[in-house]
Amino acid sequence: MDQVQRLKKDYPWIQTPLIVGAPMRLIALADLAVEITKAGGIGFIGAGTDISDLTTHLQSAQTQLGSTSSTALLPIGIGFINWGADLDASIPIIAQYRPAAVWFFAPSSTSSLVEWTQRTREVSPKTKVWVQVGSVLEALEAVRNAKPDVLVVQGTDAGGHGLAQGAGIISLLPEVSDAVQQEVASPAEEEEEEEEEEEEGGGGGGGKKEAYAPVLLAAGGIVESRGAAAALALGAGGIVLGTRFLASREANISRGYQAEVLRAVDGGQTTVRTKVYDDLRRTRWADTHNARGVINKSYVDAMRGMDEEENRRLYNEEMEKGDAGWGVENRMTTYAGSAVGLVKQVMGAGEIVREVREGVKGVLEGVRERL
Ligand SMILES: Cc1cc2nc3c(=O)[nH]c(=O)nc-3n(C[C@H](O)[C@H](O)[C@H](O)COP(=O)(O)O)c2cc1C
């Protein structure tokens, strides 16, 4: 089965090319996830590292989607930041709400990723496991150990957190694709042994099991149809948008933050991958990760050598200002990707999904004319 057939089978409500709303912690909640799903995409609730309000958001999504069947999957996903999220507390929630997908990101170790995956599959076997990776090595480790259904390949243009050292999806996605194909084409020893056992008379169930291969989705720097078409050309089965949905009506985002996303242009120059914003907010990401955000006063002062305590004091003061705290001359954090300059207006999330999806065809026709 090719990537698109697999996606249509696993998420029957989708339209292709598939547009996914990234699980942005605190911002992508029920309203955004539901709207994206209703438009034929897949919406995610960003649980992040703190799952204390997760059931409230899932309850809201369930009510909005009118899904009452006790066996059906809830047609949205939940995104966890695994190094901080509580596994034991998350599993009963997954069991109760049976999301169509869980999205794992930044586990503290490969064994932790395996544990999250196994326990999810035990309590909700139909829930698909997605893992966001930022390098060829991370992709291969995930494939070898957790066998995720989907790999979200995140390039370094992405807004928010990701690997501190990375490549853009234009090179990362095809290299991951080749490496993963090679990996799944030559199964590890263990699998070969299993196959031999089956051939020697075990099983007897008939029907050949389909070979494992994850669907690859592209994330990082895609905000409109041109980027989406390019990602498909690179071999992606679908597209993930984060930054673009910051400018949606359904995002749970302050007006000041959203205004800054609309204002910022030339993201390669005006955003940066840094740990400064995490340090000020005391978020405890590993050294391997940092986050991309719009350059502001906190960053400039940190680069000029301001003492961290002083910078944090000024940041905390800025929080009192509300929406006026965002902007180049201010200090509130505007996590956004390097394609932020292409985000020009606030739209409904459903409109965004349709615009990007339907625009791809026109872009590809334009490409054909240039061949
Ligand atoms: C504001 C913001 C918050 C994010 N929060 C999360 C998160 O909680 N979990 C996660 O896996 N990824 C998170 N991401 C990263 C996205 O999953 C995705 O990789 C990224 O948004 C894609 O790049 P783009 O922003 O250029 O579309 C976040 C991104 C942004 C912009």
Side-chain angles (χ1 to χ4, degrees):
M1 235 191 276
D2 70 18
Q3 299 202 81
V4 170
Q5 284 173 323
R6 292 257 307 284
L7 289 168
K8 285 185 167 163
K9 177 174 154 280
D10 292 342
Y11 319 95
W13 69 89
I14 65 162
Q15 293 177 45
T16 54
L18 171 65
I19 307 297
V20 174
M24 296 181 284
R25 159 182 178 268
L26 306 175
I27 294 174
L29 303 180
D31 291 354
L32 181 56
V34 165
E35 232 14 71
I36 293 170
T37 283
K38 278 186 173 166
I42 303 180
F44 276 79
I45 289 177
T49 49
D50 175 8
I51 60 151
S52 51
D53 293 332
L54 182 56
T55 47
T56 312
H57 303 313
L58 287 165
Q59 198 58 50
S60 165
Q62 198 172 52
T63 309
Q64 293 186 53
L65 289 161
S67 91
T68 48
S69 151
S70 59
T71 51
L73 293 174
L74 190 62
I76 58 164
I78 308 173
F80 295 94
I81 297 177
N82 301 70
W83 63 258
D86 181 335
L87 172 61
D88 288 332
S90 301
I91 290 298
I93 301 176
I94 295 170
Q96 184 184 350
Y97 287 93
R98 291 180 306 279
V102 289
W103 166 309
F104 296 152
F105 180 45
S108 52
S109 63
T110 303
S111 59
S112 155
L113 176 66
V114 170
E115 201 183 353
W116 274 85
T117 304
Q118 282 174 347
R119 290 187 61 187
T120 296
R121 287 178 170 155
E122 270 161 33
V123 297
S124 185
K126 288 190 177 151
T127 295
K128 299 295 173 196
V129 174
W130 296 26
V131 178
Q132 179 165 249
V133 295
S135 70
V136 176
L137 183 65
E138 272 194 345
L140 287 177
E141 272 180 6
V143 164
R144 280 179 195 138
N145 296 289
K147 287 201 167 59
D149 302 287
V150 169
L151 275 182
V152 177
V153 181
Q154 185 198 42
T156 196
D157 288 306
H161 289 88
L163 285 181
Q165 198 178 336
I169 57 159
I170 200 147
S171 60
L172 182 61
L173 198 124
E175 192 177 346
V176 166
S177 176
D178 289 351
V180 166
Q181 266 181 35
Q182 197 179 0
E183 173 66 26
V184 298
S186 50
E189 262 174 48
E190 198 186 319
E191 281 186 6
E192 279 169 10
E193 281 166 20
E194 275 172 25
E195 278 166 20
E196 274 167 26
E197 276 169 29
E198 272 173 32
E199 279 163 20
E200 282 163 16
K208 203 166 172 278
K209 227 174 97 188
E210 204 187 327
Y212 164 74
V215 169
L216 302 187
L217 303 181
I222 308 168
V223 294
E224 33 96 294
S225 307
R226 288 173 290 182
L232 295 177
L234 295 170
I239 284 95
V240 175
L241 308 179
T243 297
R244 177 71 192 266
F245 286 116
L246 295 175
S248 69
R249 279 196 279 279
E250 294 80 1
N252 183 46
I253 187 171
S254 356
R255 283 183 183 279
Y257 188 160
Q258 201 169 55
E260 186 59 0
V261 169
L262 296 181
R263 183 205 61 77
V265 291
D266 205 3
Q269 301 298 307
T270 59
T271 70
V272 67
R273 296 204 72 93
T274 179
K275 272 189 167 305
V276 166
Y277 302 127
D278 274 334
D279 291 342
L280 295 182
R281 293 141 59 113
R282 295 190 195 275
T283 29
R284 296 169 291 111
W285 284 78
D287 290 345
T288 44
H289 288 72
N290 64 9
R292 185 178 290 280
V294 178
I295 292 174
N296 68 10
K297 230 36 222 310
S298 302
Y299 177 77
V300 171
D301 282 345
M303 291 305 106
R304 285 185 183 147
M306 181 184 276
D307 171 67
E308 193 176 304
E309 273 311 313
E310 173 62 1
N311 209 349
R312 185 174 299 116
R313 190 187 65 74
L314 292 169
Y315 173 81
N316 289 335
E317 246 177 48
E318 199 89 341
M319 285 167 76
E320 311 287 315
K321 286 197 198 164
D323 289 327
W326 275 273
V328 187
E329 292 304 320
N330 301 304
R331 296 175 181 278
M332 299 304 293
T333 307
T334 304
Y335 281 139
S338 58
V340 68
L342 293 163
V343 182
K344 299 197 172 88
Q345 55 171 328
V346 175
M347 288 167 61
E351 279 177 90
I352 293 173
V353 171
R354 285 186 288 273
E355 183 213 275
V356 176
R357 183 175 64 220
E358 285 158 21
V360 165
K361 236 184 173 172
V363 174
L364 292 178
E365 277 160 16
V367 171
R368 193 175 281 273
E369 282 165 20
R370 275 175 271 142
L371 295 179

